[in-house]
Amino acid sequence: MAKAAAYRLPTDRPHVMGILNVTPDSFSDGGRHAVAETAIAHAKAMIAQGADILDVGGESTRPGSDPVSLDVEWSRLDPILDKVIALGTPVSIDTYKAEIARRACAAGAVIVNDVWGLQKDPAMADTVAEAGVHVVMMHNRPQADAGLDILADIDRFFETSMQLAERAGIAKDKQILDPGFGFGKTIDQNFIVLNRFETLKKHGLPLLAGASRKRMIGAVLQAETADRLYGSMAVHMTAMLKGASIVRAHDVGPHADCVRMLEATLLERNPT
């Protein structure tokens, strides 16, 4: 656990979290990296393109996906996790199951990315605290409700997640919030969240934005999943300008370029 204890999320600039799905049914890249050799090669490519963090997932968490057992999820992760961690870039485990998180952190993962914000598995908060790792606490709902005040709902959810983290002993500087673009929200609600993204800073924690290739982009651009790169970059650049510390993306290289241009602009320095 020494590596987890030593890791601190840098605050000098937004960071790019590259997505590594080892699943057959993820909405964007399901099945593409399910073979260990392919997954490792993709991880290396993302690092070369500028990934600051690799987010590894063994179960699709897209809305409407079928849940898988702990054993199935781990069987997808086990052949590749040690090898990805050995590449030296900080690794996040994308899971809402405490036992998967425990195993991944024991292997060297330094972030748990929980799409249910510590509220799905009652053992998750204690597991994260014991491992001494960072945690991404994402807002989620079982289904969208068009009549809901989505920002108020996110605030309530975050308060519950932060209380669970505090009671378990997760240090404040290891907590990260994610409003959950595409999860339990209508298209309009996703854009309300984006337009008010800066208001989420009131919770006093780093913010993650993860809209890569999502339906909210396809709805505006009338573009299929594979053709949503530019829309993803537009959403993420907006979120970074409004305070996002991390953007979670399939296309690492273009997003790393966005970060460099944003950094140069905000520091008013010559990028050359």
Side-chain angles (χ1 to χ4, degrees):
M1 290 294 99
K3 183 176 179 182
Y7 177 74
R8 289 290 182 272
L9 177 69
T11 57
D12 56 331
R13 59 170 176 81
H15 277 56
V16 179
M17 175 184 277
I19 299 169
L20 181 60
N21 288 321
V22 286
T23 57
D25 57 345
S26 292
F27 83 98
S28 177
D29 54 359
R32 291 184 61 187
H33 310 304
V35 178
E37 292 78 7
T38 305
I40 300 303
H42 186 55
K44 290 178 178 178
M46 288 193 291
I47 293 169
Q49 292 163 4
D52 300 291
I53 304 163
L54 297 177
D55 191 44
V56 184
E59 176 181 358
S60 175
T61 53
R62 64 180 172 81
S65 61
D66 293 326
V68 301
S69 69
L70 186 152
D71 289 341
V72 169
E73 185 174 351
W74 185 248
S75 73
R76 297 169 179 174
L77 294 166
D78 191 34
I80 64 104
L81 196 56
D82 285 342
K83 297 180 179 66
V84 173
I85 290 168
L87 297 175
T89 294
V91 167
S92 164
I93 181 68
D94 181 3
T95 188
Y96 56 85
K97 297 185 181 75
E99 178 59 19
I100 296 293
R102 185 193 67 77
R103 295 180 190 181
C105 292
V110 296
I111 302 172
V112 172
N113 184 8
D114 183 353
V115 299
W116 283 100
L118 305 178
Q119 298 182 40
K120 186 81 166 179
D121 187 331
M124 182 63 96
D126 287 336
T127 298
V128 171
E130 183 178 352
V133 298
H134 287 60
V135 62
V136 177
M137 300 178 291
M138 194 193 85
H139 172 267
N140 209 334
R141 292 179 52 79
Q143 59 187 22
D145 177 355
L148 189 70
D149 181 339
I150 194 63
L151 293 172
D153 194 71
I154 289 172
D155 286 341
R156 288 191 295 267
F157 188 99
F158 282 169
E159 290 298 331
T160 298
S161 293
M162 290 187 293
Q163 288 169 10
L164 289 169
E166 182 179 4
R167 285 202 294 266
I170 301 171
K172 197 77 169 178
D173 64 358
K174 292 190 174 182
Q175 300 174 34
I176 302 162
L177 299 176
D178 175 357
F181 289 115
F183 287 83
K185 299 170 185 67
T186 67
I187 298 297
D188 287 345
Q189 287 171 341
N190 283 309
F191 283 101
I192 289 170
V193 174
L194 179 61
N195 201 33
R196 304 287 191 275
F197 196 90
E198 70 280 2
T199 66
L200 302 175
K201 293 191 291 185
K202 66 186 175 188
H203 296 289
L205 296 178
L207 300 172
L208 183 151
S212 185
R213 302 183 186 175
K214 289 190 174 176
R215 192 165 60 93
M216 62 183 288
I217 297 164
V220 173
L221 302 181
Q222 298 299 301
E224 296 300 319
T225 305
D227 298 321
R228 297 174 186 173
L229 167 60
Y230 301 133
S232 301
M233 292 167 64
V235 171
H236 286 152
M237 181 62 91
T238 300
M240 286 190 288
L241 285 167
K242 290 174 173 283
S245 296
I246 305 171
V247 289
R248 182 178 181 273
H250 296 88
D251 304 284
V252 167
H255 281 85
D257 284 350
C258 282
V259 169
R260 290 169 62 194
M261 294 305 300
L262 178 63
E263 185 181 21
T265 301
L266 296 181
L267 293 180
E268 296 186 2
R269 74 183 190 191
N270 189 329
T272 61

